[in-house]
Amino acid sequence: MALSEANFERSMQEIPPYLDKLNEPQRAAVMQTEGPVMIVAGAGSGKTRVLTFRIAHLLKQGVDPFSILALTFTNKAAREMRERIEKLVGGEARNLWMGTFHSVFARILRMEAEKIAYPRDFTIYDSDDSKSLIKTILKEWNLDDKTYKPGHVLSRISMAKNNLISSAEYISADELTGEDRKSGRARFGELFAEYEARCKRAGAMDFDDILLNTEKLLRLHPDVCHKWQHKFKFVMLDEYQDTNRVQYMITKRLAAVHQNICVVGDDAQSIYSFRGANIQNILSFERDYPDARVFKLEQNYRSTGTIVQAAGSIIKNNKNQLKKNVWTSNEQGEKIRVVRNISDNEEGRWVAQSIFEEKMRHRLPNKAFAILYRTNAQSRSFEEGLRKLNLDYKVYGGLSFYQRKEIKDVLSYLRLVVNPTDEEALKRIINYPARKIGSTTIDRIILLASEHACSLWDIVNSARKHPLLGSSTLALENFAIMMRSFQAMLTTHNAYNLALHLAKQTGLLKTLAEDKTVEGISRYENVVELLSGIQEFVEDDTSESEKGLAEFLQEVALFTDERKDDDPNRDTVTLMTIHASKGLEFPHVYVVGMEENLFPSQMALNDRQDLEEERRLFYVAVTRAEQKLTLSFATTRLRFGQILPCEPSRFIDEIDASFLDMDKSGFKKPSPAPRAETAYSPFQIKRNTGAGPQGNTPPPPDPDFKEGDISGLAEGMRVQHQRFGYGEVQRVEGDEDQRKATILFDQFGEKTLMMKFAKMRIVES
DNA sequence: TACTAAGCTCTTTTT
DNA sequence: GAGCTTAGTA
C-alpha cells in the first residue's frame, strides 16, 4: 500500500507521539519520507536512531513492509536495527527487506538465478575458497606464486569487479594490462578470466560476484529490473560513505522509479576504501539527485565535550571532507589519558589493571569497557592481562565460528551435496577423513576436468572411464557412491537429519571424537554445535522463507559475524579492531598500540589518501568513547617474531594538547618542534623519576641516531642503540630488507632487531 | 600415501 | 609468532 496523499499531508503537519524523543533535525529527517534524502550524520548524533524511526514511521503510515528495502554493512547492524524497529512497531518488522547488501542481493539472485545462467542453489565462495582457487590455477599454469601472490591477485580482481570491470574489459584496457606488464605480471588478465570461468563452472559466486551479478541482472533484464524497481518503494542505505561503485549502481537503479532513496552516512567515518568503498558516492549525492533534501545531524549525544572536541581537532587535519560542525551540550568530562608502556606485554598488563581499578572505583560492569586496536593480532597481550585479573572478556573478529577448519569441513560436505560442481568444497573433503585419495590423484582429476571442460565431480563420478586415475579408481567410486546417497536424501530428509547422517556416515564425527586433546575435544563440540545450529534453523518458524540446506548454507556463507552468542548476558570487556567497532559505543575506551607504523599502518605512510583514511579510523576509535578515553602505546613490540623499538603515533601529537592529560603517565608532551613534512619527530620521553624499580626503563632516544644506518655492522662490534643502550653484536644474518642483528645488550640482555628499523650506531669496530 | 620436522613468509582492516 | 609449504622418512 502506498503512502496516501492524505497521510502524507498529515505527516507534514502533526508530530506523531512516537517521534517525541527525537530532536528537531532528527525528526525532520525522519518525516521527509518522499524523494531523495541524504542524512549527513556526525559520530554519536543518532544516525541509527533516525534510520530506525524513519522505517518505523513508514510502517505506522501503513506502508507495506515488503516494499521497504534497508541495506546495512554488517549483519550485526541489520539485526540491531530490526530489533529496534520491532520494539517500535511489532512483528511487522520481520517482513522488511533488510540485511547486508550481500545477503539481500544473494536472496534476489537465488530467485532469479536462471536469468543469469546460475544454478538456483549456487555456492558462495568465501575468501579462503577464492584464494585456494587462485592457487590451483597458478599451479596448473606453472606460474610463480611469488610474482603472482594469491592475496594480491585476489584483491586486484576484487578491485576490478567492484568497479564493474569484467575480465574481458580488463584485458582490453591498455592502462591496466600495461601496469601488469610493468610489474611482471603480464598474465594477470588471463588469470582473471580463468578465475571467472572456474567460478562459473563450479556454480559458485564470490563475495564480489554477488554484487556484480545483481548489477548485471538488473541491467540486462529490463523485466526483472522493472519488477524489483516497482517492488521497492522505499530504499534506505546505511553507512553510505562505505558503498562502492557496484553497490551504488545497483541502488541507484532500484530507486530509479520511485526516487525514494535515503542515504545515511558520515564521510569522516569512511574506512573501507580497501574494499572498494568510494567516498565520492557520498560527496556527490547532491549532484546525482539535484532535488535531494540534505539533513545534517551535528549534535553529539554520546561523548563528553573533551572527546567530541578532541575528535574534531583530529579530523580537521584531513583535506578531503564535507563541512560539518559536530558539537555537544554534554559536560566537558575528563581529559584524555595517554600512557606509555615499555612493551606490548606491559601494555596488556597495564590496561587490564587500569580497567580493574576503574571498575572498582566507579562500580562499573565489565561491559562498560572496550579495548580497540588496529590489527586482530594485537589482542593477545590484553587477553593475558585480563585473564590474570579474572576479568571476563570477549574477543570479536579474528577467526569466526564458521571459519574454523572442522566447521568448514562439514560445510564443504553439505555444499557438495547441494551443488556437486562446487570445486573448492570437493577438493577440501575428498580425502578427509583420509580415504587414500592423495594429492597426485587430485591433481589428475583437476587435469582431466580441464581437458574435458567439466567439473571435478563429473570426473570423480565417472572415475572408471579415466584410465589415468589408475589404482585410485575404487576409492573414488566409493566416494562418489557415498555422495550420491547423500544427494538422494535431499528430497527425503530435512537439512538437520541429512547433516547428522552425513557427519556419522563420512566418519567425520568419529575422527574428531578420537582426538582427546583439548583442541580435539573443542573441535568435536564445535561440530555438534553446528549440527544443533542446523536443527535450530530448520525448526525456526518465525519466518516464512524456506528452510532447506541450500538456504542454511547461504545464510552461513554470508554470516561471518560471531555466531549467536553462547550467552548474550555475559558481562565482558570488549576486545575488537577499530573497524569492527564502528557503530558501537562504550563508557570507557582504550585505544591501544598507538604507534607509528602500526597505527597509522606502515602501508599508509606513503600516500596522503591512505593516511587520511587512517586518520578517519582514529576518529572512529576516539568517538566510540562516551566518558573516558585512554590512548596507550608501547616503546617496544614483538613483531615478525622479534622485538622492535616503537615510536608514539603522530595521531597523539595531532590532538589539541589542551585535551590531553599526560602528566599522570610519567611523561609530557614536547613543545611542538618544527619538523619536516616527511620526518616525524617522536615525543621526548621524560624519564620516570617516581619510586619503584628503575632497572628496565630504556634511556631517552637520541635524535642523532639514524634509522638503518649500520651497513658495516659485524660480529664482535660494540654498538649503542637508541633505546637499549650499549651492547655487543653476536650475529648478523639475512639480506637486504630482512637483515637482522642479534645483540647482547649490557642492560637488557640479548635481543634480535630488524636492522631496517633499528636506530643505533657503531661505537667500536 | 601419510606423517613429522624444519623452513619460509607474512604480517591491515571485512562482506 | 603463527600458519603454511616443503623435504624427508616410514
Coordinates of all heavy atoms in Angstrom, one line a residue, chain A residues 217-291:
Chain A
L217 N 22.2 -8.5 -13.6 CA 20.8 -8.9 -13.7 C 19.9 -7.8 -14.0 O 19.0 -7.8 -14.9 CB 20.4 -9.6 -12.4 CG 19.0 -10.0 -12.3 CD1 18.7 -11.3 -13.1 CD2 18.6 -10.3 -10.8
L218 N 20.0 -6.7 -13.2 CA 19.2 -5.6 -13.4 C 19.4 -4.8 -14.7 O 18.5 -4.3 -15.3 CB 19.3 -4.6 -12.2 CG 19.0 -5.2 -10.8 CD1 19.3 -4.2 -9.7 CD2 17.5 -5.6 -10.8
R219 N 20.6 -4.8 -15.1 CA 21.0 -4.0 -16.3 C 20.5 -4.8 -17.6 O 20.0 -4.2 -18.5 CB 22.5 -3.8 -16.4 CG 23.0 -3.0 -17.6 CD 24.3 -2.4 -17.4 NE 25.3 -3.3 -16.7 CZ 26.0 -4.2 -17.3 NH1 26.0 -4.3 -18.6 NH2 26.8 -5.0 -16.7
L220 N 20.7 -6.1 -17.6 CA 20.4 -6.8 -18.8 C 19.0 -7.4 -18.9 O 18.6 -7.9 -20.0 CB 21.5 -8.0 -19.0 CG 22.9 -7.5 -19.0 CD1 23.9 -8.7 -19.1 CD2 23.2 -6.6 -20.1
H221 N 18.3 -7.4 -17.8 CA 16.9 -7.9 -17.9 C 15.9 -6.9 -17.4 O 15.5 -6.9 -16.3 CB 16.9 -9.2 -17.0 CG 17.8 -10.3 -17.4 ND1 17.5 -11.2 -18.4 CD2 19.1 -10.5 -17.1 CE1 18.5 -12.0 -18.6 NE2 19.5 -11.6 -17.8
P222 N 15.5 -6.1 -18.4 CA 14.6 -5.0 -18.0 C 13.3 -5.5 -17.3 O 12.8 -4.8 -16.4 CB 14.2 -4.4 -19.4 CG 15.3 -4.8 -20.3 CD 15.8 -6.1 -19.8
D223 N 12.8 -6.7 -17.7 CA 11.6 -7.1 -17.0 C 11.9 -7.4 -15.5 O 11.1 -7.0 -14.6 CB 11.1 -8.4 -17.7 CG 12.2 -9.5 -17.8 OD1 13.4 -9.1 -18.0 OD2 11.9 -10.7 -17.7
V224 N 13.0 -8.0 -15.2 CA 13.4 -8.3 -13.8 C 13.6 -7.0 -13.1 O 13.1 -6.7 -12.0 CB 14.6 -9.1 -13.7 CG1 15.0 -9.4 -12.3 CG2 14.4 -10.5 -14.5
C225 N 14.3 -6.1 -13.7 CA 14.6 -4.8 -13.1 C 13.3 -4.1 -12.8 O 13.1 -3.5 -11.7 CB 15.5 -4.0 -14.1 SG 16.0 -2.4 -13.5
H226 N 12.4 -4.1 -13.8 CA 11.1 -3.4 -13.6 C 10.4 -3.9 -12.4 O 9.9 -3.2 -11.6 CB 10.3 -3.6 -14.9 CG 9.0 -2.9 -14.9 ND1 7.8 -3.5 -14.6 CD2 8.7 -1.6 -15.3 CE1 6.9 -2.6 -14.7 NE2 7.4 -1.5 -15.1
K227 N 10.4 -5.2 -12.2 CA 9.7 -5.9 -11.1 C 10.2 -5.4 -9.8 O 9.5 -4.9 -8.9 CB 9.9 -7.4 -11.3 CG 9.1 -8.2 -10.2 CD 9.2 -9.7 -10.5 CE 10.4 -10.3 -9.9 NZ 10.7 -11.6 -10.4
W228 N 11.5 -5.4 -9.6 CA 12.1 -5.0 -8.3 C 12.0 -3.5 -8.1 O 11.9 -3.1 -7.0 CB 13.6 -5.5 -8.2 CG 13.6 -7.0 -8.2 CD1 13.9 -7.9 -9.2 CD2 13.4 -7.8 -7.0 NE1 13.9 -9.2 -8.7 CE2 13.5 -9.2 -7.4 CE3 13.0 -7.6 -5.7 CZ2 13.3 -10.2 -6.6 CZ3 12.8 -8.6 -4.8 CH2 13.0 -9.9 -5.3
Q229 N 12.2 -2.8 -9.2 CA 12.1 -1.3 -9.0 C 10.7 -0.9 -8.5 O 10.6 0.0 -7.7 CB 12.2 -0.6 -10.4 CG 13.7 -0.4 -10.8 CD 13.8 0.1 -12.2 OE1 12.9 -0.1 -13.0 NE2 14.8 0.8 -12.5
H230 N 9.7 -1.6 -9.0 CA 8.3 -1.3 -8.5 C 8.0 -1.8 -7.1 O 7.3 -1.3 -6.4 CB 7.3 -1.7 -9.5 CG 7.2 -0.8 -10.7 ND1 8.1 -0.8 -11.7 CD2 6.4 0.3 -10.9 CE1 7.8 0.2 -12.6 NE2 6.7 0.8 -12.1
K231 N 8.7 -2.9 -6.9 CA 8.5 -3.6 -5.6 C 9.0 -2.7 -4.4 O 8.3 -2.4 -3.4 CB 9.2 -4.9 -5.5 CG 9.1 -5.6 -4.1 CD 9.7 -7.0 -4.2 CE 9.8 -7.6 -2.8 NZ 8.5 -7.6 -2.1
F232 N 10.2 -2.2 -4.6 CA 10.9 -1.4 -3.5 C 10.5 0.1 -3.7 O 11.1 0.9 -4.4 CB 12.4 -1.5 -3.5 CG 12.8 -2.9 -3.2 CD1 13.7 -3.6 -4.0 CD2 12.3 -3.6 -2.1 CE1 14.1 -4.9 -3.7 CE2 12.7 -4.9 -1.8 CZ 13.6 -5.5 -2.6
K233 N 9.5 0.5 -2.9 CA 9.0 1.9 -3.0 C 10.0 2.8 -2.2 O 10.1 4.0 -2.4 CB 7.6 2.0 -2.5 CG 6.7 1.1 -3.3 CD 5.2 1.6 -3.2 CE 4.4 0.8 -4.2 NZ 4.1 -0.6 -3.8
F234 N 10.6 2.2 -1.1 CA 11.5 3.0 -0.3 C 12.8 2.3 -0.2 O 12.8 1.1 0.2 CB 10.9 3.2 1.1 CG 9.6 4.1 1.0 CD1 8.4 3.5 0.9 CD2 9.7 5.5 1.1 CE1 7.2 4.2 0.8 CE2 8.6 6.2 1.0 CZ 7.3 5.6 0.9
V235 N 13.9 2.9 -0.5 CA 15.2 2.3 -0.4 C 16.0 3.1 0.6 O 16.1 4.4 0.5 CB 15.9 2.3 -1.8 CG1 17.3 1.7 -1.7 CG2 15.1 1.6 -2.8
M236 N 16.6 2.4 1.5 CA 17.4 3.1 2.5 C 18.8 2.5 2.7 O 18.9 1.2 2.7 CB 16.7 3.1 3.9 CG 15.9 4.3 4.1 SD 14.7 4.2 5.4 CE 13.3 3.7 4.4
L237 N 19.8 3.3 2.7 CA 21.2 2.8 2.8 C 21.9 3.3 4.0 O 22.0 4.6 4.2 CB 22.0 3.2 1.6 CG 21.4 2.9 0.2 CD1 22.3 3.3 -0.9 CD2 21.1 1.4 0.1
D238 N 22.4 2.4 4.8 CA 23.2 2.9 6.0 C 24.7 2.9 5.6 O 25.1 2.3 4.6 CB 23.0 1.8 7.1 CG 23.5 2.3 8.5 OD1 23.8 3.5 8.6 OD2 23.5 1.5 9.4
E239 N 25.5 3.7 6.3 CA 26.9 3.8 6.0 C 27.2 4.0 4.6 O 28.0 3.4 4.0 CB 27.6 2.4 6.5 CG 27.3 2.0 7.9 CD 28.0 2.7 8.9 OE1 28.6 3.8 8.6 OE2 28.0 2.2 10.1
Y240 N 26.5 5.0 4.0 CA 26.7 5.3 2.6 C 28.1 5.6 2.2 O 28.5 5.4 1.1 CB 25.7 6.4 2.2 CG 25.6 6.6 0.8 CD1 25.0 5.6 0.0 CD2 26.0 7.8 0.1 CE1 24.9 5.8 -1.4 CE2 25.8 8.0 -1.2 CZ 25.3 7.0 -2.0 OH 25.2 7.2 -3.3
Q241 N 28.8 6.2 3.1 CA 30.2 6.5 2.8 C 31.1 5.3 2.5 O 32.2 5.5 1.9 CB 30.9 7.3 4.0 CG 31.3 6.5 5.2 CD 30.1 6.2 6.1 OE1 29.0 6.6 5.8 NE2 30.3 5.4 7.2
D242 N 30.6 4.2 2.8 CA 31.4 2.9 2.6 C 30.9 2.1 1.4 O 31.3 1.0 1.2 CB 31.4 2.1 3.8 CG 32.4 2.7 4.9 OD1 33.4 3.3 4.5 OD2 32.1 2.5 6.1
T243 N 29.9 2.7 0.6 CA 29.5 1.9 -0.5 C 30.5 2.0 -1.7 O 31.2 3.0 -1.8 CB 28.1 2.5 -1.1 OG1 28.3 3.9 -1.2 CG2 27.0 2.1 -0.2
N244 N 30.6 1.0 -2.5 CA 31.5 1.0 -3.6 C 30.6 1.2 -4.9 O 29.4 1.4 -4.8 CB 32.3 -0.2 -3.7 CG 31.5 -1.5 -3.8 OD1 30.5 -1.5 -4.5 ND2 32.0 -2.6 -3.2
R245 N 31.3 1.2 -6.0 CA 30.7 1.6 -7.2 C 29.5 0.6 -7.6 O 28.5 1.1 -8.0 CB 31.7 1.6 -8.3 CG 31.2 2.3 -9.6 CD 32.3 2.6 -10.6 NE 31.6 2.7 -11.9 CZ 30.9 3.8 -12.2 NH1 30.7 4.8 -11.4 NH2 30.3 3.8 -13.4
V246 N 29.7 -0.7 -7.4 CA 28.7 -1.6 -7.8 C 27.4 -1.4 -6.9 O 26.3 -1.4 -7.4 CB 29.1 -3.1 -7.6 CG1 28.2 -4.0 -8.4 CG2 30.5 -3.3 -8.0
Q247 N 27.7 -1.2 -5.7 CA 26.5 -1.0 -4.7 C 25.8 0.2 -5.1 O 24.6 0.3 -5.1 CB 27.1 -1.0 -3.3 CG 27.6 -2.3 -2.8 CD 28.4 -2.2 -1.6 OE1 29.1 -1.2 -1.4 NE2 28.4 -3.2 -0.8
Y248 N 26.6 1.2 -5.5 CA 26.0 2.5 -5.9 C 25.1 2.3 -7.1 O 24.0 2.8 -7.2 CB 27.1 3.5 -6.1 CG 26.8 4.7 -6.8 CD1 26.2 5.8 -6.2 CD2 27.0 4.8 -8.2 CE1 25.9 7.0 -6.8 CE2 26.6 6.0 -8.9 CZ 26.1 7.1 -8.2 OH 25.8 8.2 -8.8
M249 N 25.6 1.6 -8.1 CA 24.9 1.4 -9.4 C 23.6 0.6 -9.1 O 22.5 1.0 -9.7 CB 25.7 0.7 -10.4 CG 27.0 1.4 -10.9 SD 26.6 3.0 -11.7 CE 26.0 2.4 -13.2
I250 N 23.7 -0.4 -8.3 CA 22.5 -1.2 -8.1 C 21.4 -0.4 -7.4 O 20.3 -0.4 -7.8 CB 22.9 -2.4 -7.2 CG1 23.9 -3.3 -7.9 CG2 21.6 -3.2 -6.8 CD1 24.4 -4.4 -7.0
T251 N 21.8 0.3 -6.3 CA 20.8 1.0 -5.5 C 20.2 2.2 -6.3 O 19.0 2.5 -6.2 CB 21.3 1.5 -4.2 OG1 22.6 2.2 -4.4 CG2 21.6 0.4 -3.2
K252 N 21.1 2.8 -7.2 CA 20.6 3.9 -8.0 C 19.5 3.3 -8.9 O 18.5 4.0 -9.1 CB 21.7 4.5 -8.8 CG 21.4 5.8 -9.4 CD 22.6 6.4 -10.1 CE 22.2 7.7 -10.8 NZ 23.2 8.3 -11.6
R253 N 19.8 2.2 -9.5 CA 18.8 1.6 -10.4 C 17.5 1.2 -9.7 O 16.4 1.4 -10.2 CB 19.4 0.4 -11.1 CG 18.8 0.0 -12.5 CD 19.5 -1.1 -13.1 NE 20.8 -0.8 -13.6 CZ 21.0 -0.4 -14.9 NH1 20.0 -0.2 -15.7 NH2 22.2 -0.2 -15.3
L254 N 17.7 0.6 -8.6 CA 16.5 0.1 -7.8 C 15.6 1.3 -7.4 O 14.4 1.1 -7.3 CB 16.9 -0.7 -6.6 CG 17.4 -2.1 -6.8 CD1 17.8 -2.7 -5.5 CD2 16.2 -2.9 -7.4
A255 N 16.2 2.4 -7.2 CA 15.4 3.6 -6.7 C 14.9 4.5 -7.8 O 14.3 5.5 -7.6 CB 16.2 4.4 -5.7
A256 N 15.3 4.1 -9.0 CA 15.0 5.0 -10.2 C 13.6 5.3 -10.4 O 13.2 6.4 -10.8 CB 15.6 4.4 -11.4
V257 N 12.7 4.4 -10.1 CA 11.3 4.6 -10.4 C 10.6 5.5 -9.3 O 10.1 6.5 -9.6 CB 10.5 3.3 -10.5 CG1 9.0 3.5 -10.5 CG2 10.9 2.5 -11.8
H258 N 10.7 5.1 -8.1 CA 10.1 5.9 -7.0 C 10.9 7.0 -6.5 O 10.3 8.0 -5.9 CB 9.7 4.9 -5.8 CG 8.7 3.9 -6.2 ND1 7.4 4.2 -6.4 CD2 8.8 2.5 -6.4 CE1 6.8 3.1 -6.8 NE2 7.6 2.1 -6.8
Q259 N 12.2 7.0 -6.7 CA 13.1 8.1 -6.3 C 13.0 8.3 -4.8 O 13.4 9.3 -4.3 CB 12.7 9.4 -7.0 CG 13.0 9.4 -8.5 CD 14.4 9.7 -8.8 OE1 15.0 10.7 -8.3 NE2 15.0 9.0 -9.7
N260 N 12.5 7.3 -4.0 CA 12.5 7.5 -2.6 C 13.8 6.8 -2.0 O 13.7 5.7 -1.5 CB 11.3 6.8 -2.0 CG 10.0 7.6 -2.4 OD1 10.1 8.8 -2.6 ND2 9.0 6.8 -2.6
I261 N 14.9 7.5 -2.2 CA 16.1 6.9 -1.7 C 16.7 7.7 -0.6 O 16.7 9.0 -0.7 CB 17.2 6.7 -2.9 CG1 18.4 6.1 -2.3 CG2 17.5 8.1 -3.5 CD1 19.4 5.7 -3.4
C262 N 17.0 7.1 0.5 CA 17.5 7.8 1.6 C 18.9 7.2 2.0 O 19.0 6.0 2.3 CB 16.5 7.7 2.8 SG 17.2 8.3 4.3
V263 N 19.9 8.0 2.0 CA 21.2 7.5 2.4 C 21.7 8.2 3.7 O 21.4 9.4 3.9 CB 22.3 7.7 1.3 CG1 21.8 7.1 0.0 CG2 22.5 9.2 1.1
V264 N 22.3 7.4 4.5 CA 22.8 8.0 5.8 C 24.3 7.7 5.9 O 24.7 6.6 5.6 CB 22.1 7.3 7.0 CG1 22.5 7.9 8.3 CG2 20.6 7.4 6.8
G265 N 25.0 8.7 6.2 CA 26.5 8.4 6.3 C 27.2 9.6 6.9 O 26.7 10.6 7.2
D266 N 28.5 9.3 7.1 CA 29.4 10.3 7.7 C 30.7 10.1 6.9 O 31.4 9.1 7.1 CB 29.6 10.1 9.2 CG 30.6 11.1 9.7 OD1 31.0 12.0 9.0 OD2 30.9 11.0 10.9
D267 N 31.0 11.1 6.1 CA 32.3 11.0 5.3 C 33.5 10.8 6.2 O 34.5 10.2 5.8 CB 32.4 12.1 4.4 CG 32.5 13.5 5.1 OD1 31.5 13.8 5.8 OD2 33.5 14.2 5.0
A268 N 33.4 11.4 7.4 CA 34.5 11.3 8.3 C 34.8 9.9 8.8 O 35.8 9.7 9.5 CB 34.4 12.3 9.5
Q269 N 33.8 9.0 8.6 CA 34.0 7.7 9.1 C 34.1 6.7 8.0 O 33.8 5.5 8.1 CB 32.8 7.3 10.0 CG 32.7 8.2 11.3 CD 31.6 7.7 12.2 OE1 31.7 6.6 12.7 NE2 30.7 8.5 12.4
S270 N 34.6 7.1 6.8 CA 34.8 6.2 5.7 C 36.1 5.5 5.9 O 37.2 6.1 5.8 CB 34.8 7.0 4.4 OG 35.3 6.3 3.4
I271 N 36.0 4.2 6.2 CA 37.2 3.5 6.5 C 37.4 2.2 5.7 O 38.1 1.3 6.1 CB 37.3 3.1 8.0 CG1 36.0 2.4 8.4 CG2 37.5 4.4 8.8 CD1 36.0 2.0 9.9
Y272 N 36.6 2.0 4.6 CA 36.7 0.8 3.9 C 37.1 0.9 2.4 O 36.7 0.2 1.6 CB 35.3 0.1 3.9 CG 35.1 -0.6 5.2 CD1 34.2 -0.1 6.2 CD2 35.8 -1.8 5.5 CE1 34.0 -0.8 7.4 CE2 35.6 -2.5 6.7 CZ 34.7 -2.0 7.6 OH 34.6 -2.6 8.8
S273 N 38.0 1.9 2.1 CA 38.3 2.0 0.7 C 39.1 0.8 0.2 O 39.1 0.5 -0.9 CB 39.2 3.3 0.6 OG 40.5 3.1 1.1
F274 N 39.7 0.1 1.1 CA 40.5 -1.1 0.7 C 39.5 -2.2 0.1 O 39.9 -3.1 -0.6 CB 41.3 -1.7 1.8 CG 40.4 -2.3 2.9 CD1 40.1 -3.7 2.9 CD2 40.0 -1.6 4.0 CE1 39.3 -4.2 3.9 CE2 39.2 -2.1 5.0 CZ 38.9 -3.4 4.9
R275 N 38.2 -2.0 0.4 CA 37.2 -2.9 -0.1 C 36.5 -2.3 -1.2 O 35.4 -2.7 -1.7 CB 36.2 -3.2 1.0 CG 35.6 -4.6 0.9 CD 34.8 -4.9 2.2 NE 33.6 -4.2 2.3 CZ 32.8 -4.2 3.3 NH1 33.2 -4.8 4.4 NH2 31.7 -3.5 3.3
G276 N 37.0 -1.2 -1.7 CA 36.5 -0.6 -2.9 C 35.5 0.6 -2.6 O 34.9 1.1 -3.5
A277 N 35.3 0.9 -1.3 CA 34.4 1.9 -0.9 C 34.9 3.2 -1.6 O 36.0 3.5 -1.7 CB 34.4 2.1 0.6
N278 N 33.9 4.0 -2.0 CA 34.2 5.2 -2.8 C 33.6 6.4 -2.1 O 32.4 6.6 -2.1 CB 33.6 5.0 -4.2 CG 34.1 6.1 -5.1 OD1 34.6 7.1 -4.6 ND2 33.9 5.9 -6.4
I279 N 34.4 7.1 -1.4 CA 33.9 8.3 -0.6 C 33.2 9.3 -1.6 O 32.4 10.1 -1.1 CB 35.1 8.9 0.1 CG1 34.6 9.8 1.2 CG2 36.0 9.7 -0.8 CD1 35.7 10.3 2.2
Q280 N 33.5 9.2 -2.8 CA 32.9 10.1 -3.8 C 31.4 9.9 -3.8 O 30.6 10.8 -4.1 CB 33.5 9.8 -5.2 CG 34.0 11.0 -6.0 CD 34.8 11.9 -5.1 OE1 35.7 11.6 -4.5 NE2 34.4 13.2 -5.1
N281 N 30.9 8.7 -3.6 CA 29.5 8.4 -3.6 C 28.7 9.4 -2.6 O 27.7 9.9 -3.0 CB 29.2 7.0 -3.1 CG 29.5 6.0 -4.2 OD1 29.9 6.4 -5.3 ND2 29.5 4.7 -3.9
I282 N 29.3 9.6 -1.5 CA 28.6 10.5 -0.5 C 28.9 12.0 -0.9 O 28.0 12.8 -0.8 CB 28.9 10.2 0.9 CG1 28.0 10.9 1.9 CG2 30.4 10.6 1.3 CD1 28.0 10.4 3.3
L283 N 30.1 12.2 -1.4 CA 30.4 13.6 -1.7 C 29.6 14.1 -2.9 O 29.4 15.3 -3.1 CB 31.9 13.7 -2.0 CG 32.8 13.4 -0.8 CD1 34.3 13.5 -1.1 CD2 32.5 14.3 0.4
S284 N 29.1 13.2 -3.8 CA 28.4 13.6 -5.0 C 26.9 13.3 -5.0 O 26.3 13.3 -6.1 CB 29.1 13.1 -6.2 OG 29.1 11.7 -6.2
F285 N 26.4 13.0 -3.9 CA 24.9 12.6 -3.9 C 24.1 13.7 -4.4 O 23.1 13.5 -5.2 CB 24.5 12.2 -2.4 CG 23.1 11.7 -2.3 CD1 22.8 10.4 -2.6 CD2 22.1 12.6 -2.0 CE1 21.6 9.9 -2.5 CE2 20.8 12.1 -1.9 CZ 20.5 10.7 -2.1
E286 N 24.4 14.9 -4.0 CA 23.6 16.1 -4.4 C 23.6 16.3 -5.9 O 22.7 16.9 -6.5 CB 24.0 17.3 -3.7 CG 23.6 17.3 -2.2 CD 24.1 18.4 -1.4 OE1 25.2 18.3 -0.9 OE2 23.4 19.5 -1.3
R287 N 24.8 15.9 -6.5 CA 24.9 16.1 -8.0 C 24.0 15.0 -8.7 O 23.4 15.3 -9.7 CB 26.3 15.9 -8.4 CG 26.7 16.6 -9.7 CD 28.0 16.2 -10.2 NE 28.1 14.7 -10.2 CZ 29.3 14.1 -10.0 NH1 30.4 14.8 -9.7 NH2 29.3 12.8 -10.0
D288 N 24.0 13.8 -8.1 CA 23.2 12.8 -8.7 C 21.7 13.0 -8.6 O 20.9 12.7 -9.4 CB 23.5 11.4 -8.0 CG 24.8 10.8 -8.4 OD1 25.3 11.3 -9.5 OD2 25.3 9.9 -7.8
Y289 N 21.3 13.6 -7.4 CA 19.9 13.9 -7.2 C 19.8 15.4 -6.9 O 19.8 15.8 -5.7 CB 19.4 13.1 -6.0 CG 19.5 11.6 -6.2 CD1 20.6 10.8 -5.8 CD2 18.5 10.9 -6.9 CE1 20.7 9.5 -6.0 CE2 18.5 9.5 -7.1 CZ 19.6 8.8 -6.7 OH 19.7 7.5 -6.9
P290 N 19.6 16.2 -7.9 CA 19.6 17.7 -7.7 C 18.5 18.1 -6.8 O 18.7 19.1 -6.1 CB 19.4 18.2 -9.1 CG 19.7 17.1 -10.1 CD 19.5 15.8 -9.3
D291 N 17.4 17.4 -6.7 CA 16.3 17.8 -5.8 C 16.4 17.1 -4.4 O 15.4 17.1 -3.7 CB 14.9 17.6 -6.5 CG 14.7 16.1 -6.9 OD1 15.8 15.4 -7.0 OD2 13.6 15.7 -7.1

